[in-house]
């Protein structure tokens, strides 16, 4: 008996899952509309719960459709049935608290209680600490390139529940566009409820690698910045980032990756990153942070090291 799936199939968790997806208009499953399903709501949800507990649950066929991207290319989006969305939402409700304890504190995307504003605040902290040189990076076709075997291996490292692992494999297999008989299986379905969590699970290896090398970063899904004091340090960081991603069978997007100094020309998550201009030296040679209030400017003197709270050199 899977403890994770048993909990996912509990009335409490299924109630949470239904509330999150109840406004969706897609069919409950092939041949059964949401309207028809809601006429026997308790029966169909109970049936799903029994299938999850017993191991009889199998994902429904997934529909794929292309969406145009801003660069002229297309992204393949997966369309799941409401039944599959509810099952994934229930499993996510159980798994998310487990993995939240393991994720790196400088990862902000697709995580409860975290936001773009929190990520930008962290970026500003690093810049204010004098780490103004950046590796401004994007991972090439991240969702399409995640290899299944290493991803499952990463999930297994954290959870030992075979039934849950097998179910995740089934969802990955059902939601993956076939590329040919000789190609290895890769890609996680964009549009699936569980995909954002899987995205963070896989890149947590990269997060921990950066931290082990004292390379400060802020990551939001597949967009990230790595910070350095000098251009030379940033170039070295760029080389290491490429090697680290290569070990995960991933690559940087050359058109969207650069080494640069922060300024008005740099945007991250839609925000312009200005230079480290909010500091002025006082007569002691110490840097002060300018803090604005209703009465005007208030200069708060601080110890740079203690303010930043950084180990990074």
């Amino acid at each position: 008996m899977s403890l994770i799936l048993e909990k996912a199939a509990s009335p409490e968790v299924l109630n949470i899952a239904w509330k999150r997806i109840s406004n969706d208009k897609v069919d409950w499953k092939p041949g059964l509309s949401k309207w028809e399903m809601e006429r026997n709501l308790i029966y169909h949800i109970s049936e799903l719960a029994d299938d999850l507990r017993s191991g009889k649950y199998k994902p429904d066929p997934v529909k794929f459709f292309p969406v145009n991207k801003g660069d002229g290319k297309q992204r393949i989006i997966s369309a799941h049935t409401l039944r599959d969305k509810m099952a994934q939402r229930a499993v996510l409700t159980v798994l998310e608290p487990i993995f939240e304890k393991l994720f790196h504190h400088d990862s902000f995307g697709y995580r409860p209680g975290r936001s773009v504003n929190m990520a930008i605040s962290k970026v500003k902290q690093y810049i204010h600490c004098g780490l103004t040189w950046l590796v401004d990076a994007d991972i090439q076709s991240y969702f399409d390139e995640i290899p299944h075997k290493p991803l499952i291996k990463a999930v297994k490292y954290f959870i030992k529940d075979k039934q849950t692992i097998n179910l995740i494999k089934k969802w990955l297999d059902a939601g993956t566009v076939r590329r040919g008989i000789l190609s290895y299986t890769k890609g996680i379905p964009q549009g699936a409820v569980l995909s954002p969590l899987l995205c963070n699970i896989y890149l947590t290896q990269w997060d921990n690698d950066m931290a082990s090398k004292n390379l400060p970063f802020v990551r939001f899904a597949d967009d990230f910045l790595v910070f350095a004091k000098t251009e030379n340090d940033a170039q070295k960081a760029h080389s290491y980032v490429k090697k680290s991603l290569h070990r995960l069978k991933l690559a940087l997007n050359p058109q969207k990756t650069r080494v640069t100094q922060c300024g008005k020309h740099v945007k991250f998550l839609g925000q312009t990153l200005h230079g480290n201009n909010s500091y002025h030296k006082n007569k002691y040679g110490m840097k002060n942070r300018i803090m604005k209030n209703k009465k005007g400017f208030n200069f708060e003197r601080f110890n740079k090291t203690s303010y930043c709270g950084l180990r990074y050199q």
Side-chain angles (χ1 to χ4, degrees):
M1 178 67 68
S2 165
L3 295 178
I4 290 175
L5 295 184
E6 181 69 29
K7 190 172 183 180
S10 68
E12 296 80 9
V13 172
L14 288 175
N15 184 49
I16 293 171
W18 177 250
K19 287 180 178 179
R20 291 294 300 271
I21 67 164
S22 59
N23 290 328
D24 205 315
K25 305 299 182 184
V26 301
D27 289 347
W28 173 250
K29 63 181 181 179
L32 183 65
S33 69
K34 182 192 175 188
W35 178 79
E36 291 174 306
M37 173 266 186
E38 286 181 317
R39 294 173 65 183
N40 293 288
L41 181 66
I42 301 301
Y43 168 78
H44 289 291
I45 291 180
S46 297
E47 183 181 50
L48 175 60
D50 290 340
D51 288 346
L52 286 171
R53 289 193 191 96
S54 65
K56 294 180 181 179
Y57 170 87
K58 292 182 180 179
D60 296 318
V62 176
K63 296 179 180 179
F64 302 99
F65 58 94
V67 174
N68 293 327
K69 297 167 62 177
D71 58 5
K73 297 181 181 180
Q74 288 187 328
R75 174 184 289 116
I76 302 299
I77 301 297
S78 60
H80 298 256
T81 63
L82 196 62
R83 172 177 169 270
D84 283 348
K85 288 182 179 182
M86 185 168 182
Q88 288 195 28
R89 177 61 64 182
V91 171
L92 176 65
T93 301
V94 179
L95 291 182
E96 200 167 54
I98 297 172
F99 284 101
E100 273 299 308
K101 298 175 183 178
L102 305 170
F103 288 157
H104 195 277
H105 53 77
D106 283 344
S107 164
F108 293 89
Y110 305 136
R111 295 180 62 185
R114 291 183 164 236
S115 65
V116 168
N117 287 339
M118 292 174 69
I120 294 299
S121 178
K122 190 68 174 181
V123 167
K124 290 178 179 179
Q125 179 183 336
Y126 284 139
I127 292 173
H128 290 167
C129 290
L131 303 175
T132 59
W133 280 92
L134 314 170
V135 181
D136 179 12
D138 175 80
I139 300 175
Q140 182 82 46
S141 304
Y142 176 54
F143 279 85
D144 295 333
E145 294 296 324
I146 298 178
H148 287 190
K149 284 186 178 180
L151 171 60
I152 292 298
K153 185 178 179 180
V155 176
K156 283 182 178 179
Y157 183 82
F158 296 114
I159 60 173
K160 310 300 181 184
D161 190 312
K162 289 184 179 180
Q163 284 183 263
T164 302
I165 296 295
N166 288 335
L167 181 53
I168 291 173
K169 287 180 181 178
K170 290 177 182 178
W171 277 325
L172 286 173
D173 187 58
T176 301
V177 178
R178 297 289 180 263
R179 293 177 170 83
I181 192 169
L182 297 178
S183 62
Y184 66 90
T185 310
K186 62 181 180 178
I188 57 177
Q190 297 191 56
V193 172
L194 205 60
S195 290
L197 178 68
L198 297 177
C199 161
N200 277 328
I201 290 172
Y202 196 58
L203 277 185
T204 292
Q205 301 168 87
W206 181 86
D207 296 343
N208 293 335
D209 191 14
M210 294 299 103
S212 71
K213 299 299 180 182
N214 286 342
L215 291 173
F217 70 92
V218 170
R219 182 175 66 81
F220 198 99
D222 57 339
D223 291 328
F224 62 85
L225 298 172
V226 180
F227 302 83
K229 288 183 178 180
T230 66
E231 182 179 9
N232 184 53
D233 287 345
Q235 293 290 355
K236 291 178 180 178
H238 177 256
S239 296
Y240 189 78
V241 166
K242 288 176 64 177
K243 292 178 182 178
S244 182
L245 288 175
H246 181 73
R247 288 193 287 269
L248 297 175
K249 300 185 184 298
L250 300 171
L252 291 171
N253 184 334
Q255 281 74 44
K256 297 182 179 180
T257 300
R258 59 181 172 172
V259 171
T260 185
Q261 194 165 26
C262 64
K264 293 181 179 179
H265 64 290
V266 181
K267 283 192 175 183
F268 183 63
L269 305 178
Q271 298 287 323
T272 301
L273 304 184
H274 298 283
N276 186 20
N277 297 323
S278 59
Y279 297 94
H280 291 263
K281 287 186 177 180
N282 59 26
K283 63 181 179 180
Y284 303 103
M286 299 279 292
K287 285 188 177 181
N288 299 299
R289 179 160 56 109
I290 300 175
M291 301 191 67
K292 208 170 185 178
N293 57 28
K294 294 180 181 179
K295 296 181 180 179
F297 285 103
N298 174 38
F299 290 86
E300 178 190 359
R301 184 177 170 189
F302 70 100
N303 178 285
K304 186 177 179 182
T305 303
S306 63
Y307 169 75
C308 294
L310 298 172
R311 298 190 296 118
Y312 307 112
Q313 301 298 323

